[in-house]
Amino acid sequence: MIDKKRWSLKSLNGPSPFDLAMMVLSLFSVIVVLILTFGKVDAETRRLLLFIDLSICIIFMSRFFYGLVKASNKKFYLRHHWIDFVASIPAIEALRIARVFQILRVIRLIRVSRTLIIPLIKQRKQTTLASLLLAMVFILTTASIVILLVEAGVDGANIETAEQAIWWTLVTISTVGYGDYYPVSTVGHVIGALVIMSGVSFFGVISGYMASVFVAPDENERSENNKKEIKFELEKVILRMEQNQVQMEKNQQQMLEEITRLRKEINDK
């Protein structure tokens, strides 16, 4: 009952950044599945789309098992997230459509939540990681597909297979530039330039994030020291107040004793 209440409260607070990232990936993977099912593509483009779908499924599967390990009530988690596991199976064509239910579940969470901005701001690290994950998948898949379609059939082209397209995208986005595979068409050169600029921006964000991760412990340590100092000062003030109260009680007791003594002297006279 407690876990159910926690789950419902979490739902009301809105989806986490990784839930939103999984929704976007689910939508993207559904588009890939529709292209594989109904689109007329050549053999190499189809193989590339299958590679992309397999990579997205690995991300889904990793997310599912991570949530399962972290869940306090694993039966409850399995009962509410079994569709995530089913949608993560890449080998069975019919089960891939189950990713639509992932999208619908997150949309339901969005509808019951008041806003999406507040959870994203509160969970900045998760938002950054989720954004980097989406950017990585989007750049790799889009660039690989487009460069393979553009370079196919061009005279002198050396990017003709799915593996070559993926390798070229990885090398270009990392700005390594081995030169073993390269575009020869004008459109391919434009795509390469865009991928290089995206890669520079992408790894710049990663560098900033890693720097913040290493700097954060120092900030936390300073925060802890400040808390200790404040606590020490508060304890000193409370101790001083207690001492003053004890002294006041002693003075009050002395005054009462003096009054009693004076009354006794008056009565004796």
Side-chain angles (χ1 to χ4, degrees):
M1 295 298 293
I2 295 176
D3 290 328
K4 290 181 180 180
K5 188 178 291 184
R6 287 179 180 174
W7 185 86
S8 61
L9 289 174
K10 183 179 179 181
S11 299
L12 291 174
N13 291 332
S16 68
F18 277 105
D19 289 332
L20 293 174
M22 292 303 107
M23 183 190 74
V24 176
L25 283 179
S26 298
L27 179 61
F28 188 76
S29 65
V30 168
I31 295 174
V32 171
V33 171
L34 291 176
I35 295 175
L36 287 171
T37 305
F38 302 104
K40 294 181 180 180
V41 293
D42 58 83
E44 288 301 325
T45 304
R46 182 177 180 83
R47 288 181 63 240
L48 178 57
L49 291 173
L50 288 174
F51 283 146
I52 293 170
D53 183 69
L54 177 62
S55 301
I56 294 176
C57 287
I58 292 173
I59 296 173
F60 287 155
M61 194 74 73
S62 302
R63 171 66 174 170
F64 172 80
F65 283 109
Y66 175 79
L68 180 62
V69 171
K70 297 287 288 185
S72 57
N73 189 336
K74 292 179 171 50
K75 289 183 179 180
F76 181 80
Y77 181 86
L78 289 173
R79 191 160 62 247
H80 287 84
H81 293 271
W82 63 270
I83 191 67
D84 295 340
F85 177 77
V86 172
S88 303
I89 301 175
I92 304 176
E93 292 285 342
L95 296 182
R96 289 173 175 170
I97 306 300
R99 296 168 199 170
V100 175
F101 295 99
Q102 290 180 307
I103 303 173
L104 295 178
R105 190 186 72 249
V106 178
I107 291 176
R108 180 175 61 84
L109 293 178
I110 294 174
R111 290 183 62 185
V112 299
S113 62
R114 295 181 178 180
T115 179
L116 293 177
I117 298 177
I118 293 177
L120 294 179
I121 293 176
K122 287 183 177 180
Q123 305 178 59
R124 293 182 180 179
K125 288 187 177 181
Q126 286 193 20
T127 303
T128 303
L129 287 175
S131 301
L132 289 174
L133 176 64
L134 287 177
M136 184 71 163
V137 174
F138 180 78
I139 295 173
L140 284 175
T141 56
T142 305
S144 300
I145 293 172
V146 173
I147 199 67
L148 186 61
L149 293 175
V150 168
E151 292 293 304
V154 178
D155 294 336
N158 56 17
I159 304 176
E160 298 177 341
T161 64
E163 293 85 353
Q164 292 171 352
I166 295 174
W167 175 249
W168 172 84
T169 305
L170 285 172
V171 170
T172 306
I173 196 176
S174 61
T175 65
V176 174
Y178 286 125
D180 48 354
Y181 297 104
Y182 51 87
V184 296
S185 64
T186 303
V187 179
H189 292 158
V190 174
I191 295 171
L194 293 175
V195 173
I196 291 172
M197 290 186 290
S198 301
V200 172
S201 303
F202 179 79
F203 284 101
V205 174
I206 291 180
S207 300
Y209 176 77
M210 294 302 295
S212 67
V213 169
F214 287 107
V215 171
D218 295 333
E219 295 179 352
N220 293 334
E221 186 176 352
R222 286 196 295 268
S223 177
E224 289 296 327
N225 292 333
N226 292 335
K227 289 179 181 179
K228 290 179 180 179
E229 290 179 1
I230 294 172
K231 183 179 179 181
F232 178 72
E233 293 295 330
L234 287 174
E235 289 177 350
K236 286 175 60 178
V237 171
I238 293 173
L239 180 61
R240 193 178 303 115
M241 291 176 64
E242 290 177 348
Q243 291 175 348
N244 292 336
Q245 185 178 1
V246 171
Q247 186 64 37
M248 288 176 62
E249 290 177 354
K250 287 182 179 180
N251 294 336
Q252 187 178 10
Q253 184 66 29
Q254 290 176 357
M255 291 177 63
L256 290 174
E257 290 176 356
E258 185 66 23
I259 292 172
T260 303
R261 187 183 64 80
L262 290 173
R263 281 181 178 177
K264 185 177 180 182
E265 288 181 358
I266 293 172
N267 290 334
D268 292 341
K269 291 179 179 181

